[in-house]
Amino acid sequence: EIPVLFKQELQNEEAKEGKQVKLTCELSKPDTPVKWMKGDTVLYASEKYEFKQHGTVAELIIRDVKSIDS
């Protein structure tokens, strides 16, 4: 089986505190399960984090951004 690769890796994004930011990556294979992590911590969907996936594009939306989210 061909390994899944990043066609477009995450880019640094800036957001003002209290606003939201969207991080996007593109994979080589559509609908591949994605695990979002901050360091060694797995992120889960919540009021703070929202995950979207459309074909090869995966998105993480972080709401109410704080400096600790960097």
Side-chain angles (χ1 to χ4, degrees), residues 4 12 23 33 43 52 60 63 65 69:
V4 177
N12 287 330
L23 302 175
L43 303 178
K52 294 183 179 182
L60 164 62
R63 295 186 185 91
V65 173
D69 294 316

Side-chain angles (χ1 to χ4, degrees), residues 3-62:
V4 177
L5 304 172
F6 286 105
K7 289 175 67 178
Q8 176 190 339
E9 295 196 14
L10 288 175
Q11 302 296 311
N12 287 330
E13 297 288 342
E14 289 188 17
K16 293 186 178 191
E17 280 200 31
K19 300 294 184 183
Q20 72 176 28
V21 67
K22 179 168 62 174
L23 302 175
T24 304
C25 65
E26 186 174 359
L27 308 167
S28 60
K29 185 176 177 184
D31 301 316
T32 301
V34 172
K35 183 188 299 183
W36 290 95
M37 301 180 72
K38 181 178 185 235
D40 294 330
T41 304
V42 177
L43 303 178
Y44 295 98
S46 64
E47 288 184 15
K48 176 93 174 159
Y49 303 112
E50 180 182 351
F51 310 113
K52 294 183 179 182
Q53 194 160 356
H54 310 282
T56 59
V57 177
E59 297 176 343
L60 164 62
I61 298 167
I62 305 173

